[in-house]
């Protein structure tokens, strides 16, 4: 197949082996995003008066809850490959098979942070505000896991940044090989994973810049993230061509994006209304109230 000369290549394998140990590109991207998010959150918490390593304590709760929530959301919204006709329920525990739903990951991850805050003495809003930019950047990195799996792309395109997609064997985690020993290429498609990755990185950097230049009330940074991410997700979701369940002709994730956007707007309003009803915090830089070693 003749491809555009400037097209973006895709891996022909999503899993590599270090001796007998499988290293999955999807998992490596998720882990890299988590590490970055924890590092950024810790620096932001320390700047607000926390002890170093406080974000690691919160991550101990947030990460497993987030992974569980992300997988549950995926299974609930896309149950057919696992529980439908011809599906394999055992595949439900294979995180690399179908991946994680960000909505569930953030929701249960936030619950994990809340539990961690209750144990460590950190106010939840302070932790959420500190984490918001890092979470957006982590999503930008995590989206590259879809690149390793040749998944979540849009319509065919001849644009220079068209993404080469191979016919994929999800069971083996690699491209199908033809009779000549070459990977089968389906064509070039819009790299929706890349569009979302760029959007998330810009969102995270924008939140960091805004936090440095504006005095935001507690909770507003969280609301800006919650409302900001769905804006880009709706656009990207409308471009995707992978199979998805729909409601009234729209993909479920678009409806979720609309609801989450409204929630984010409410959080922003609530944060400003709450701040207007309380006295100005006399502590410099709005330090966090209590911390335990």
């Amino acid at each position: 197949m003749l491809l555009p000369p400037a097209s973006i290549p895709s891996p022909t394998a999503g899993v590599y082996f270090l001796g007998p140990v499988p290293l999955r590109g999807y998992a490596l991207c998720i882990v890299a995003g988590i590490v970055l998010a924890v590092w950024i959150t810790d620096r932001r918490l320390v700047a607000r008066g926390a002890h170093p390593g406080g974000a690691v304590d919160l991550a101990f709760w947030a990460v497993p809850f987030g992974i569980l929530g992300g997988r549950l959301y995926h299974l609930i919204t896309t149950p057919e490959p696992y529980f439908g006709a011809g599906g394999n329920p055992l595949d439900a525990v294979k995180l690399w098979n179908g991946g994680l739903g960000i909505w569930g990951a953030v929701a249960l991850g936030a619950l994990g942070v809340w539990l961690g805050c209750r144990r460590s003495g950190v106010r939840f809003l302070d932790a959420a505000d500190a984490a918001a930019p890092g979470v957006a950047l982590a999503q930008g990195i995590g989206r590259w896991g879809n690149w390793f799996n040749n998944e979540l792309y849009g319509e065919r395109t001849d644009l220079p940044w068209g993404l080469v997609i191979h016919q994929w064997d999800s069971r083996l985690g690699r491209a199908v090989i033809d009779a000549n020993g070459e990977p089968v290429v389906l064509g070039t498609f819009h790299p929706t994973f890349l569009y979302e990755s760029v959007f998330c990185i810009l969102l995270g950097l924008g939140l960091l810049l805004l936090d440095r230049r504006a005095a935001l009330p507690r909770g507003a940074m969280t609301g800006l993230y919650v409302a900001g991410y769905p804006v880009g997700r709706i656009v990207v979701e409308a471009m995707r061509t992978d199979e998805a369940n729909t409601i009234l002709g729209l993909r479920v994730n678009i409806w979720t994006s609309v609801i989450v956007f409204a929630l984010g707007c409410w959080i922003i309003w609530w944060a400003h209304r709450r701040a207007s009803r309380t006295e100005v915090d006399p502590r410099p830089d709005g330090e966090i109230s209590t911390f335990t070693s």
Side-chain angles (χ1 to χ4, degrees):
M1 176 177 291
L2 191 60
L3 300 174
S7 57
I8 301 173
S10 288
T12 57
V15 57
Y16 306 90
F17 289 87
L18 184 61
V21 180
L23 300 177
R24 300 184 183 277
Y26 186 93
L28 292 176
C29 291
I30 297 297
V31 170
I34 290 173
V35 170
L36 177 63
V38 171
W39 179 74
I40 292 175
T41 301
D42 196 63
R43 287 177 61 89
R44 288 169 56 79
L45 283 176
V46 169
R48 288 163 169 77
H51 63 274
V56 178
D57 297 336
L58 297 180
F60 176 81
W61 293 89
V63 171
F65 272 81
I67 293 174
L68 175 62
R71 192 57 176 175
L72 286 176
Y73 179 87
H74 172 71
L75 295 176
I76 292 171
T77 57
T78 314
E80 294 82 4
Y82 313 97
F83 310 109
N88 183 3
L90 294 179
D91 287 342
V93 299
K94 299 177 180 178
L95 301 183
W96 59 90
N97 186 352
L100 307 172
I102 187 61
W103 311 110
V106 172
L108 278 195
L111 174 61
V113 170
W114 180 79
L115 292 172
C117 287
R118 289 184 57 88
R119 293 179 63 88
S120 63
V122 181
R123 287 191 286 196
F124 174 71
L125 284 181
D126 292 316
D129 285 345
V135 171
L137 292 172
Q139 288 176 237
I141 293 175
R143 267 302 174 208
W144 282 85
N146 303 125
W147 177 67
F148 278 98
N149 287 349
N150 279 235
E151 61 188 1
L152 305 193
Y153 48 88
E155 299 282 355
R156 290 181 179 272
T157 181
D158 292 327
L159 291 171
W161 57 86
L163 178 69
V164 175
I165 293 295
H166 303 94
Q167 184 176 343
W168 201 253
D169 186 332
S170 58
R171 183 178 60 86
L172 298 177
R174 66 187 186 194
V176 174
I177 305 300
D178 64 19
N180 297 319
E182 297 294 330
V184 178
V185 175
L186 299 179
T188 55
F189 301 79
H190 277 285
T192 53
F193 89 89
L194 178 60
Y195 299 157
E196 185 172 340
S197 175
V198 171
F199 176 80
C200 288
I201 290 173
L202 291 177
L203 174 62
L205 294 177
L207 292 176
L208 287 172
L209 180 62
L210 179 63
D211 199 35
R212 295 186 63 178
R213 298 194 174 186
L216 298 174
R218 283 188 173 92
M221 176 63 62
T222 300
L224 287 169
Y225 161 73
V226 173
Y229 172 64
V231 174
R233 181 60 185 264
I234 288 174
V235 175
V236 171
E237 196 70 29
M239 298 179 66
R240 285 169 48 172
T241 57
D242 53 301
E243 292 186 5
N245 292 324
T246 61
I247 299 176
L248 299 178
L250 292 178
R251 296 163 69 99
V252 170
N253 280 331
I254 291 181
W255 289 109
T256 305
S257 297
V258 172
I259 294 171
V260 173
F261 173 78
L263 174 62
C265 291
W266 179 85
I267 293 174
I268 296 170
W269 170 82
W270 173 82
H272 282 87
R273 184 169 180 269
R274 177 176 178 272
S276 67
R277 290 189 171 188
T278 58
E279 295 181 357
V280 177
D281 193 334
R283 290 166 297 162
D285 300 324
E287 292 176 343
I288 295 176
S289 57
T290 57
F291 289 95
T292 57
S293 301

